[in-house]
Each structure stands twice: as structure tokens, then as C-alpha cells.
Amino acid sequence: MSRQMKLYQVVGRKAPTPTDENPEAYRMKLFAPNEMMAKSRFWYFMHQMRKMKKTTGEILDVNEIYEKNNRYVKNFGFWIKYNSRSGTHNMYREYRDVTLNNAVNTLYNDMAGRHRSRNKSIQIIKSATVASKDCKRPGTMGIHNNKLKFPLPHRIMRPASKQVRSLYNANRPSTHYN
């Protein structure tokens, strides 16, 4: 089981110097299991994009971003880049979930299962909530039917409370319904 990923916002900048007393600040949203890993990923990406390192910079703020409404299912689209054994690949993936963090966990587990990719080799470029009409993947579109029903073929009847439960029954319960 992989670690639960959370969405963090990290704000950092180059350390102030006598020539540049107020350097430009950069904000990045990252998925990481904890604050320490979010800071580490921030410096990894900043070194690639802006030639800034941890030794020449400072982190101003780290916040965990929480989902406002996690009571209904949404479609999430992810644009990712990952390294495989044969090279670097770009990919678009869609998942249905109630929160973005759960969808990211599903993404990492799915990529590990289908493509044998590790968490470190996956870079999420962009994530967005996708409307039902804009979904592209058949696995996601198959669940958009309003008349979709899931049968419950094997239901076990439970007593309302422990006091009304009978310890021994004369006949075996019927759990299969047609």
C-alpha cells in the first residue's frame, strides 16, 4: 500500500542578497505524502526551471490545501510525465473520485500496476476537474449514465439491535434475491 498523497502549496524564493534585497517569490502546488517531501520536490523542480537550489534559496510558506466539497463524485483529469525503462512519456489520465487527493492516489497505484512506474518517476504537470461532457476515456464515460444500477444479489439481513437478535434460528436465512 502506498502512502497517502496530499496537496501542498509551497512558496519559496532565492535568498536575499545585497544586490537583490527582494527577490521574486515562486508558488508551486505539489502532491506529496508530507511537508518535508513537498519541500524536497519544490527544490527539485525549482532547480530544473530557475537554477535555484536549497542552499541559495529559502522557503517562505508550506500549506496543505484541503478540498472544499468532498460529498459528491467528480471527474479528474491529469496531465503527467513519467520515466519508464525505455524513455520519458507524456500521458493524459482520467479518474472518478470524491477528492483530488484520492484521485492522485488512484493515479499512482494505477501507473504502478499498468506501467511499473515508481512515485518518484511520475511528475504531475496539471490536474483539473473535468465536466462529464468533456471526458475522453471510455472507462470514465461508462459511468456517466444516469440509469446505471448496481444489483445487490447477496444481502444479509441484520437485526436492528443486539437485543432483538436471536442466537439460534429454526431455518437458514435466504440471502439471494431475484
Side-chain angles (χ1 to χ4, degrees), residues 153-158 169 171-178:
H154 184 70
R155 287 177 278 186
I156 299 171
M157 302 303 284
R158 301 277 183 208
N169 281 340
N171 54 358
R172 183 180 292 268
S174 175
T175 60
H176 292 281
Y177 298 96
N178 293 336

Side-chain angles (χ1 to χ4, degrees), residues 121-140:
S121 66
I122 300 170
Q123 296 178 9
I124 298 175
I125 298 166
K126 181 182 170 186
S127 64
T129 305
V130 183
S132 296
K133 61 180 172 53
D134 297 330
C135 287
K136 300 173 186 171
R137 301 293 181 249
T140 312

Side-chain angles (χ1 to χ4, degrees), residues 64-103:
E64 185 178 345
I65 299 174
Y66 298 99
E67 194 96 17
K68 286 182 182 175
N69 190 358
N70 59 0
R71 291 181 306 215
Y72 64 95
V73 178
K74 297 173 277 297
N75 304 310
F76 294 103
F78 295 99
W79 288 262
I80 64 170
K81 178 173 92 170
Y82 81 100
N83 295 323
S84 70
R85 295 184 185 110
S86 59
T88 305
H89 309 282
N90 294 320
M91 195 179 280
Y92 170 75
R93 310 214 37 107
E94 284 178 354
Y95 296 98
R96 282 176 60 85
D97 216 312
V98 289
T99 63
L100 183 61
N101 292 347
N102 289 348

